[in-house]
Amino acid sequence: MAHYRSIFLSDVHLGTRGCQAESLLDFLRHNSCQQLYLVGDIIDLWRLKVRWYWPRNHNTVVQKVLRLARSGVIVRYVCGNHDPVYELLSDYVQNQGNALALGDIAILREAVHETADGKKLWVIHGDQFDAAMRYATWLIRLGDHGYTLLLWSNRLLQSAFRRLGLRRHWSLSAYIKYRVKKAVQFINDYEHLLAEETSRRGYAGVICGHIHHAEQKTIDGVLYYNDGDWVESCTALVEHTDGRMEIIHWPIPPLRFDQHIAA
């Protein structure tokens, strides 16, 4: 069991077949923290409205997070574009400034995290800095269907790997996305837009998600952290007790015998 001051997770997409819930549960069983940030797109309400999909392990993820909050872990849920929980609940739950209190979990549009070594980091999902999200929502919806098809292809490949006894996690969608020139340019533009806004607001850095691409770097003096996702890459951003930040790539746990049969 590794212990961290803070853990940042985003883009879990519970409610979709692409969600790597077992990997996330394995990560949460082997890593503890004082503060847990859920940085958007945790529950995919977009996909659930189209078609209901909620297996037992997705429910177990929710229960695990609720247990962590009850046990004293500070849990903050920063909403994303696939899970606009803040807007949905704002009329029904207690308002605490810019946060909504839902039991032991604070629900926010954005947050500010101060590291152990005194750096103030802006925490936001990041969809606000996706130009297509703002100006061509129909295009994002169309792309979402294409992405779902790629994830379906991923599952076929992963099933084949598992039947061969391999634990490797190779993502077809990630392979295609990061080798297409325009996609690379989109990621670069996204990162620089966020860095510029972070600098304008006077923060030392930003922690975000949204584009499913884990990254840790400095852009024009601004610390940029993207904690990745639990669909393609299974990554988390962690803060050590001294304030040092690190991206962790978590392996897929070995399948049980009954899971082999189900596959």
Side-chain angles (χ1 to χ4, degrees):
M1 174 71 75
H3 181 75
Y4 301 100
R5 185 172 184 266
S6 309
I7 292 178
F8 302 83
L9 306 170
S10 77
D11 298 277
V12 177
H13 291 278
L14 293 169
T16 69
R17 295 183 182 274
C19 171
Q20 299 286 348
E22 285 298 327
S23 290
L24 179 55
L25 286 170
D26 192 56
F27 173 82
L28 292 173
R29 291 177 187 127
H30 289 87
N31 298 275
S32 63
C33 60
Q34 300 169 34
Q35 303 175 80
L36 174 63
Y37 286 84
L38 304 173
V39 193
D41 286 3
I42 304 302
I43 300 174
D44 197 324
L45 298 179
W46 271 18
R47 185 56 52 188
L48 286 174
K49 285 194 295 184
V50 174
R51 183 177 181 180
W52 185 259
Y53 176 77
W54 195 262
R56 182 179 299 176
N57 56 6
H58 290 208
N59 205 51
T60 305
V61 171
V62 174
Q63 292 173 345
K64 176 66 174 176
V65 171
L66 292 174
R67 283 198 299 271
L68 289 173
R70 287 196 299 268
S71 69
V73 175
I74 299 171
V75 180
R76 299 180 180 92
Y77 190 158
V78 177
C79 299
N81 55 300
H82 281 248
D83 56 358
V85 181
Y86 189 99
E87 285 73 14
L88 291 174
L89 297 180
S90 59
D91 293 333
Y92 301 100
V93 297
Q94 181 184 359
N95 196 316
Q96 296 184 346
N98 68 335
L100 302 176
L102 186 60
D104 299 305
I105 299 176
I107 300 176
L108 310 98
R109 290 194 178 96
E110 58 186 70
V112 178
H113 173 74
E114 185 168 351
T115 63
D117 54 357
K119 296 184 182 71
K120 288 189 176 181
L121 305 177
W122 185 30
V123 184
I124 189 166
H125 181 62
D127 56 285
Q128 303 90 331
F129 296 86
D130 181 342
M133 278 296 305
R134 289 183 291 173
Y135 304 121
T137 304
W138 65 269
L139 184 61
I140 288 295
R141 298 278 183 174
L142 181 62
D144 188 52
H145 288 296
Y147 187 58
T148 300
L149 179 60
L150 281 174
L151 291 178
W152 176 78
S153 302
N154 279 344
R155 290 197 302 275
L156 293 180
L157 286 170
Q158 290 303 314
S159 178
F161 287 150
R162 290 169 179 175
R163 288 176 183 276
L164 293 172
L166 301 175
R167 290 187 61 188
R168 63 175 298 189
H169 181 71
W170 181 81
S171 171
L172 175 63
S173 55
Y175 177 84
I176 292 173
K177 184 166 58 177
Y178 301 127
R179 280 155 182 80
V180 175
K181 184 177 180 180
K182 288 186 178 179
V184 173
Q185 184 61 48
F186 161 76
I187 291 171
N188 183 68
D189 291 346
Y190 173 85
E191 293 172 345
H192 280 79
L193 280 171
L194 263 170
E196 288 173 9
E197 181 62 19
T198 301
S199 177
R200 190 187 70 80
R201 295 185 178 219
Y203 298 122
V206 61
I207 298 171
C208 61
H210 184 58
I211 59 174
H212 294 207
H213 181 53
E215 187 65 83
Q216 177 178 352
K217 61 184 177 182
T218 302
I219 303 173
D220 297 330
V222 174
L223 299 170
Y224 173 87
Y225 303 102
N226 193 307
D227 55 29
D229 68 282
W230 290 85
V231 175
E232 299 173 45
S233 54
C234 297
T235 54
L237 177 69
V238 299
E239 178 196 2
H240 293 268
T241 54
D242 60 358
R244 180 170 53 91
M245 308 294 281
E246 179 186 4
I247 292 173
I248 294 179
H249 295 259
W250 199 252
I252 295 177
L255 291 179
R256 300 189 307 269
F257 178 71
D258 59 336
Q259 290 176 308
H260 277 288
I261 294 175

